[in-house]
Amino acid sequence: MSYQAPVEECQFILNNIVGIEEVTKTERFEEATPDVIEAILNEAGKLCTDVLAPLNRNGDLDPARLENGVVRTSKGFGEGYAAIAEGGWIGMAADPEFGGMGLPLSVTTAVNDMMAGACLSLQLNPLMTQGQIEAFEHHASDELKALYLPKLISGEWCGTMNLTEPQAGSDVGALRTKAEPNGDGTYAITGQKIYITWADNDFSENVCHLVLARLPDGVPGTKGISLFIVPKLIPNADGSLGEHNSLKVVSLEHKLGLHGSPTAVMEYAGAKGWLVGAPHGGMAAMFTMMNNARLGVGTQGIGIAEAAYQKALAYALDRKQGRVGGTGSIVEHADVKRMLATMKADTFVARSIAFACAVAIDLGNATGDAAHKARAALLTPIAKAFGTDAGLAIAELGVQVHGGMGFIEDTGAAQFSRDVRVTSIYEGTNGIQAMDLVARKMMDGGDAAFAMIDEIEAFAESARSTQGALAEAVWQASENLRETTEWLVAQDDMNDRFAGAVPYLKAFARVLGGYYHLMAAQKGGTSRQKIARFYINRLLPEHKSLLAQVRVGNGDLADLTPDDLVA
């Protein structure tokens, strides 16, 4: 069975789990009626199933390559990109003033999920452009918006993010790239950037780089960083393209996976750039891009999880091995059922968290309500980290379901495991996401977290009459999470929070998963009730050991020295 876009699953979660109807009730998104959303998801599903999914293997076997300074992309990627651009899929959530559809981000997230499952190497390209579009909408001057946004939204031009340098990875403030004023409102950008996703291609008219650099009067650290748009080809005022800028792709990285997506070292040698946002305000603009990208990358993990599950399920249904009843296929084995049920249950959890985050972002944008914005901020690191962690674990289980054939590249199971691996590193490692959750996102004293826990407990209370022990288990898990959250926000030493940050994030995701599965059991059919029972009985209990790790604090880690680790 080849990849089939999970249109019905996305619709079920949007309509029954995360409450997209609240988004479509707002004035901003009132035109996104249920019929419109259904039609959009169906069309996107056809694109993903029929056009993009057949390209996935090409990207692995026919990698992007650098030839005489020109990036050559994988066979069929140009046609696939054209289908994405011509369908308007890049600018789904973008401002209609510049050619976007103005749709809710929650719809865009569902479409990106399906595109990532179909062909992650190619989907990375429009995701980068979407982040650039959002940064422009929030921070660019009217002149830059008018020049760049129509081209980015149409897909004629592609966008990238240039943050990382060899000596400045997660510590962005250590960057050395310089921006010198040219005296005419432009700047000369000089420096080197690494890990630049889709830094170039052979199918779009132009590639526009958002580059972090430091002005001559920029102070050391993050407060002295500014953001610049540095195009490959310098556009004229009318949007036509002029001379090549002073930038180049130095090399392409040799990667574990995502071979169809060119990841480059970029060199800027006095390249002409324009300031985006205020001088020294680059971090604010960067976080606009990063938060968009964090949800997007979490969604990529979910897309791969879906694709890996579909492939593993098809293999298990077909493979005959051992003495089992029913069909005689390995899907009848208890342990294979366990693996497949884990894959299915956790894909549902990760997708629900991501969609819930997108809905909160939409409601915050549509209403300006602080509570929705706080909910979105809380869920963003969870969506990114759990979505990608689940993608890794589910892709690995997919290999295991295949047994020996999973280790053979011909089946394609291993590609999912290789392709998804980087997502837990992209846009801030998952450890950084967890630290963000327990620090920045708890600066409110845990109010947003407690509001989420209150919601879970209230629903579990209401479900007790029909779901019995399952509802009780979810209620108790949320209460356990509440008690640990109270302990966490009481810690003044941030290292005591950071030492347990990763298990805390995972525990929070586990409890959210219990909530969403309980809701699915209430609103779905028999199969959803059975998968909910599996999750709540077998996977939800993991939250207890995770929360126990959180409350240990930093003492045992602080006692460890480098010598202890070497010995």
Side-chain angles (χ1 to χ4, degrees):
M1 181 182 74
S2 58
Y3 174 82
Q4 298 290 315
V7 175
E8 291 184 7
E9 182 74 356
C10 291
Q11 288 177 328
F12 178 84
I13 293 173
L14 288 172
N15 294 330
N16 297 284
I17 305 299
V18 301
I20 196 174
E21 71 277 2
E22 293 302 313
V23 173
T24 57
K25 287 177 183 176
T26 66
E27 181 179 355
R28 177 168 177 170
F29 297 117
E30 61 185 358
E31 293 183 7
T33 63
D35 288 347
V36 168
I37 293 174
E38 181 178 1
I40 288 169
L41 293 182
N42 279 322
E43 285 304 308
K46 293 175 185 176
L47 171 72
C48 294
T49 301
D50 300 334
V51 178
L52 303 185
L55 301 177
N56 192 49
R57 198 66 177 145
N58 293 351
D60 198 46
L61 300 177
D62 176 32
R65 60 198 182 277
L66 185 62
E67 295 180 349
N68 299 319
V70 177
V71 171
R72 303 298 183 189
T73 57
S74 304
K75 182 180 179 181
F77 272 34
E79 292 80 1
Y81 177 81
I84 293 170
E86 290 166 8
W89 301 110
I90 297 171
M92 285 181 288
D95 191 337
E97 179 183 352
F98 299 101
M101 294 186 189
L103 289 166
L105 179 63
S106 38
V107 178
T108 299
T109 300
V111 173
N112 284 343
D113 173 344
M114 294 188 286
M115 286 189 181
C119 186
L120 179 53
S121 283
L122 182 54
Q123 188 265 345
L124 274 161
N125 184 296
L127 182 72
M128 294 295 98
T129 303
Q130 287 170 354
Q132 188 168 119
I133 289 168
E134 186 167 10
F136 262 78
E137 288 180 344
H138 285 85
H139 301 284
S141 65
D142 289 343
E143 292 78 11
L144 288 178
K145 287 180 184 178
L147 178 58
Y148 281 86
L149 282 176
K151 299 289 190 179
L152 292 168
I153 289 169
S154 70
E156 293 171 78
W157 298 355
C158 293
T160 76
M161 295 164 50
N162 285 238
L163 315 180
T164 307
E165 298 181 9
Q167 79 294 337
S170 299
D171 182 11
V172 177
L175 67 78
R176 297 173 185 161
T177 300
K178 299 183 299 182
E180 299 280 350
N182 287 324
D184 60 358
T186 67
Y187 297 81
I189 311 299
T190 301
Q192 188 178 90
K193 298 288 184 176
I194 62 173
Y195 304 150
I196 308 308
T197 299
W198 277 102
D200 197 14
N201 65 72
D202 54 3
F203 48 67
S204 69
E205 292 181 0
N206 204 3
V207 180
C208 308
H209 304 284
L210 276 175
V211 182
L212 287 180
R214 200 180 306 278
L215 291 165
D217 60 346
V219 299
T222 56
K223 293 183 179 179
I225 295 173
S226 301
L227 183 67
F228 302 86
I229 184 69
V230 188
K232 172 184 170 182
L233 301 176
I234 299 174
N236 300 310
D238 62 359
S240 62
L241 296 175
E243 65 182 8
H244 198 290
N245 213 340
S246 300
L247 57 85
K248 66 178 180 179
V249 176
V250 175
S251 62
L252 298 185
E253 304 289 1
H254 299 281
K255 300 178 295 183
L256 175 67
L258 292 177
H259 298 146
S261 168
T263 301
V265 175
M266 289 294 298
E267 182 178 302
Y268 297 87
K272 183 175 287 190
W274 287 259
L275 184 67
V276 177
H280 320 306
M283 291 302 288
M286 184 198 78
F287 274 110
T288 298
M289 293 186 291
M290 288 286 280
N291 284 328
N292 176 294
R294 283 171 175 170
L295 175 58
V297 170
T299 303
Q300 291 176 335
I302 298 160
I304 290 291
E306 176 69 41
Y309 171 68
Q310 289 189 21
K311 183 169 284 290
L313 177 62
Y315 182 82
L317 289 168
D318 182 66
R319 174 68 168 164
K320 305 292 193 298
Q321 186 80 16
R323 296 181 179 179
V324 289
T327 63
S329 302
I330 63 169
V331 74
E332 303 285 355
H333 287 285
D335 190 57
V336 175
K337 283 185 183 179
R338 177 194 63 81
M339 290 189 286
L340 290 168
T342 299
M343 297 169 79
K344 184 177 181 68
D346 265 353
T347 301
F348 172 84
V349 172
R351 184 173 278 133
S352 296
I353 293 172
F355 287 13
C357 181
V359 163
I361 293 171
D362 284 331
L363 289 171
N365 290 338
T367 67
D369 183 78
H372 292 310
K373 292 183 177 181
R375 171 71 58 89
L378 178 79
L379 288 177
T380 294
I382 303 175
K384 193 277 179 180
F386 187 77
T388 57
D389 280 346
L392 267 66
I394 290 166
E396 182 179 350
L397 279 174
V399 173
Q400 192 70 17
V401 169
H402 281 79
M405 290 304 297
F407 200 65
I408 305 301
E409 288 286 356
D410 292 7
T411 64
Q415 182 186 343
F416 295 128
S417 189
R418 290 185 286 101
D419 283 356
V420 77
R421 184 61 189 85
V422 73
T423 60
S424 66
I425 300 170
Y426 272 154
E427 312 306 337
T429 65
N430 287 357
I432 289 173
Q433 304 303 317
M435 293 167 69
D436 176 52
L437 176 64
V438 302
R440 187 185 301 271
K441 302 306 165 56
M442 296 291 175
M443 289 175 64
D444 61 357
D447 287 350
F450 292 130
M452 187 86 244
I453 293 167
D454 289 343
E455 180 181 306
I456 296 170
E457 289 190 357
F459 183 80
E461 287 274 10
S462 70
R464 275 190 166 123
S465 61
T466 55
Q467 299 300 326
L470 297 183
E472 173 60 28
V474 172
W475 186 92
Q476 187 58 59
S478 62
E479 188 62 18
N480 295 341
L481 180 62
R482 179 190 300 278
E483 292 171 0
T484 299
T485 304
E486 290 170 346
W487 178 90
L488 192 73
V489 298
Q491 305 311 302
D492 293 327
D493 186 342
M494 292 308 296
N495 283 324
D496 283 325
R497 297 193 191 190
F498 292 155
V502 167
Y504 179 77
L505 185 150
K506 290 181 177 178
F508 211 126
R510 276 280 166 250
V511 175
L512 285 169
Y515 172 39
Y516 296 134
H517 272 294
L518 186 64
M519 199 179 299
Q522 284 279 80
K523 299 182 179 183
T526 302
S527 293
R528 292 196 183 274
Q529 292 166 9
K530 289 179 179 179
I531 293 293
R533 186 173 66 196
F534 170 87
Y535 179 90
I536 292 170
N537 287 342
R538 292 177 180 266
L539 301 183
L540 179 59
E542 291 176 2
H543 84 279
K544 295 178 183 178
S545 63
L546 292 166
L547 293 177
Q549 295 176 54
V550 176
R551 299 180 73 154
V552 170
N554 187 46
D556 55 349
L557 294 178
D559 288 343
L560 286 171
T561 69
D563 288 342
D564 295 323
L565 299 173
V566 171

